[in-house]
């Protein structure tokens, strides 16, 4: 972890604002995975009103990151965001359809 990382007191609002304002960086990893996982960029962007942080990783390697639950139409998915408060952007690390064998029925808590 870098010494000068800034952690926002309200990461969910920061993420939603970055998505709404399109202050996003899409990682190579997420770009490679989205097509195979049947999640579109539009689904991630348009579903921001439904975002809920379900796990927090404030000491992640480069920036604090947050696993976010969301839904688009009838699809529930998770998105991992890393937030760069100083750079005023959110980085989309990965997105996936949660495995029912690993998550409770509401897909918001690990089994």
């Amino acid at each position: 972890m870098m010494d000068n990382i800034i952690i926002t007191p309200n990461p969910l609002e920061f993420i939603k604002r970055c998505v709404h304002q399109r202050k996003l960086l899409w990682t190579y990893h997420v770009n490679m995975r989205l097509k195979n996982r049947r999640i579109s960029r539009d689904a991630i962007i348009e579903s921001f009103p439904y975002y809920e942080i379900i796990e927090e990783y404030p000491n992640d390697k480069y920036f604090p990151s947050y696993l976010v639950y969301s839904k688009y139409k009838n699809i529930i998915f998770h998105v991992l965001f890393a937030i760069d408060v100083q750079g005023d952007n959110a980085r989309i690390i990965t997105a996936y359809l949660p495995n029912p064998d690993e998550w409770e029925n509401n897909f918001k808590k690990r089994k």
Side-chain angles (χ1 to χ4, degrees), residues 30 34 37 39-40 43-44 47 50-55 57 66-72 75-81 92-100 102-111:
V30 76
L34 284 181
R37 294 179 177 170
I39 303 169
S40 69
I44 292 171
S47 69
Y50 300 101
Y51 287 2
E52 293 180 44
I53 292 176
I54 56 175
E55 292 183 356
Y57 314 103
Y66 301 88
L67 186 62
V68 171
Y69 164 96
S70 194
K71 59 184 175 180
Y72 181 74
I75 301 169
I76 292 173
F77 55 91
H78 293 166
V79 182
L80 182 63
F81 287 95
I92 300 173
I93 307 302
T94 195
Y96 62 87
L97 303 174
N99 182 337
E102 298 173 11
W103 293 88
E104 298 290 340
N105 290 341
N106 64 4
F107 297 105
K108 295 179 184 179
K109 184 178 177 184
R110 292 185 194 267
K111 287 185 177 179

Side-chain angles (χ1 to χ4, degrees), residues 28-64:
Y28 176 79
H29 177 83
V30 76
N31 285 325
M32 296 302 295
R33 300 289 191 257
L34 284 181
K35 184 177 180 181
N36 292 338
R37 294 179 177 170
R38 300 182 316 265
I39 303 169
S40 69
R41 282 181 172 215
D42 287 343
I44 292 171
I45 292 170
E46 292 175 22
S47 69
F48 80 89
Y50 300 101
Y51 287 2
E52 293 180 44
I53 292 176
I54 56 175
E55 292 183 356
E56 299 184 17
Y57 314 103
N59 298 315
D60 228 348
K61 187 173 182 179
Y62 298 108
F63 295 103

Side-chain angles (χ1 to χ4, degrees), residues 9-26:
N10 193 337
L12 183 59
E13 289 306 313
F14 183 86
I15 291 167
K16 285 182 173 185
R17 182 182 59 77
C18 286
V19 171
H20 182 70
Q21 295 176 353
R22 304 300 194 271
K23 294 183 176 184
L24 300 171
L25 297 174
W26 300 80

